[in-house]
Amino acid sequence: MSKKSNWQIKSIVGAYLVLVIFAVIWILPLIIAVVKSFTINGLGNYEYVLSYEKINYFHVIFNSMTIAISSALVVTLITALAAYAFSKMKFPGSKILYGAILACLAVPVAAVTSPLFATIKNMGFLDHHLGVIIPLIAFNSPMMLLMIKNYFDTIPDELLESARIDGASRFRIWYVFMVPLSVPIIANVLVLTFIYSWNDYLVPLLVMRSEENYPVTLAAQYFMSSTYQSPEDVARIYAVMILLALPSILVYLVSQKFLVAGATAGAVKG
């Protein structure tokens, strides 16, 4: 066996070893949580969570679904339209405006909590789903705009120019050509925005006041105590964490192929 073949085998083995290590790092906490959730009472821990009187599990899931799906749909729509404008349309100040939007990526959510709270309160959306959805749309849009715009840049202008010659309007070009050609990145943005919105904690904590409007990130606190926790309490905490995270995990697993396709979308200009 040649030295080159030996080097290739070692490279492949090394790459797999690194991937296995990272896989263990990510999966091990989840495995521990699942195992711990079945200690003491087994499935009784899950029955306890599902029948908990103070917080209705299915209502909490509905709240998070409402927030996450609404945010994902709106973000995907407005960023797909904005990306088309910044990528394929020329207008004064486009580069400055695009740069200003991307600059918002450097602003952490925690830095704007005071004006955000005052704005939501003045709009009358305090303790309302819209009070969470609107900020999540604003905070997720810059990154998603960057992703879709980079993909749109790879679509040849000649293809769109031929449609203009045939008399197609700008909106028709976006709807008939750009959207079908950009399904991988659009699906990627849709899924990522859903997951980010589902997992957000700070905005719901700032806006929500009543228990009936709590999403999953706030409902978890009702199963925890600052005082002593028995082994039975710990098992129930793990059970509630699994149940509250389960919908987002399922969404990720079902849409994994879109995330993989979107990760490489726009990487090479053609």
Side-chain angles (χ1 to χ4, degrees):
M1 188 177 292
S2 63
K3 292 182 178 180
K4 186 176 180 180
S5 298
N6 288 330
W7 181 85
Q8 290 176 340
I9 293 174
K10 290 179 179 179
S11 299
I12 294 173
V13 171
Y16 273 102
L17 181 61
V18 172
L19 292 174
V20 168
I21 292 174
F22 278 104
V24 170
I25 292 174
W26 283 101
I27 296 175
L28 186 60
L30 183 60
I31 295 175
I32 293 174
V34 172
V35 172
K36 291 285 187 180
S37 69
F38 283 100
T39 58
I40 311 297
N41 292 325
L43 288 174
N45 297 320
Y46 290 88
E47 293 175 1
Y48 172 82
V49 174
L50 294 175
S51 60
Y52 194 63
E53 295 180 357
K54 194 169 186 179
I55 293 292
N56 185 289
Y57 170 78
F58 297 102
H59 187 69
V60 167
I61 294 297
F62 174 78
N63 290 338
S64 285
M65 281 289 182
T66 300
I67 293 171
I69 292 176
S70 300
S71 301
L73 290 176
V74 175
V75 167
T76 303
L77 176 61
I78 63 176
T79 53
L81 288 167
Y84 173 58
F86 286 119
S87 177
K88 300 303 180 184
M89 297 169 59
K90 306 299 180 183
F91 55 92
S94 61
K95 292 184 178 180
I96 297 176
L97 182 58
Y98 182 65
I101 294 174
L102 294 188
C104 295
L105 291 171
V107 181
V109 179
V112 294
T113 51
S114 294
L116 175 62
F117 178 81
T119 302
I120 294 299
K121 185 177 180 180
N122 292 334
M123 293 174 67
F125 292 148
L126 200 63
D127 197 26
H128 194 281
H129 288 158
L130 281 175
V132 178
I133 293 171
I134 293 174
L136 289 178
I137 292 172
F139 294 137
N140 283 302
S141 291
M143 175 58 72
M144 303 309 163
L145 172 62
L146 174 65
M147 293 173 59
I148 299 183
K149 195 261 184 187
N150 287 343
Y151 187 90
F152 280 5
D153 287 343
T154 66
I155 298 177
D157 293 336
E158 292 78 9
L159 179 64
L160 308 183
E161 198 63 39
S162 62
R164 292 193 189 97
I165 295 174
D166 291 337
S169 64
R170 294 187 185 276
F171 181 78
R172 183 173 178 80
I173 292 173
W174 173 81
Y175 179 76
V176 175
F177 291 95
M178 300 297 289
V179 173
L181 291 172
S182 308
V183 170
I185 193 63
I186 290 176
N188 194 58
V189 166
L190 190 67
V191 173
L192 287 178
T193 306
F194 176 91
I195 293 175
Y196 293 160
S197 301
W198 181 278
N199 294 330
D200 192 83
Y201 175 75
L202 184 56
V203 176
L205 179 65
L206 193 66
V207 174
M208 293 304 185
R209 292 294 179 269
S210 58
E211 297 171 1
E212 64 179 11
N213 290 327
Y214 276 8
V216 295
T217 49
L218 295 184
Q221 64 183 312
Y222 283 93
F223 296 88
M224 299 182 185
S225 172
S226 58
T227 58
Y228 171 75
Q229 292 174 340
S230 65
E232 187 178 30
D233 293 331
V234 173
R236 288 172 176 173
I237 291 173
Y238 278 111
V240 73
M241 292 303 176
I242 295 296
L243 285 174
L244 293 179
L246 186 60
S248 63
I249 293 174
L250 292 177
V251 169
Y252 175 81
L253 292 177
V254 170
S255 59
Q256 188 176 17
K257 63 178 182 179
F258 295 110
L259 292 174
V260 173
T264 57
V268 179
K269 284 201 173 187

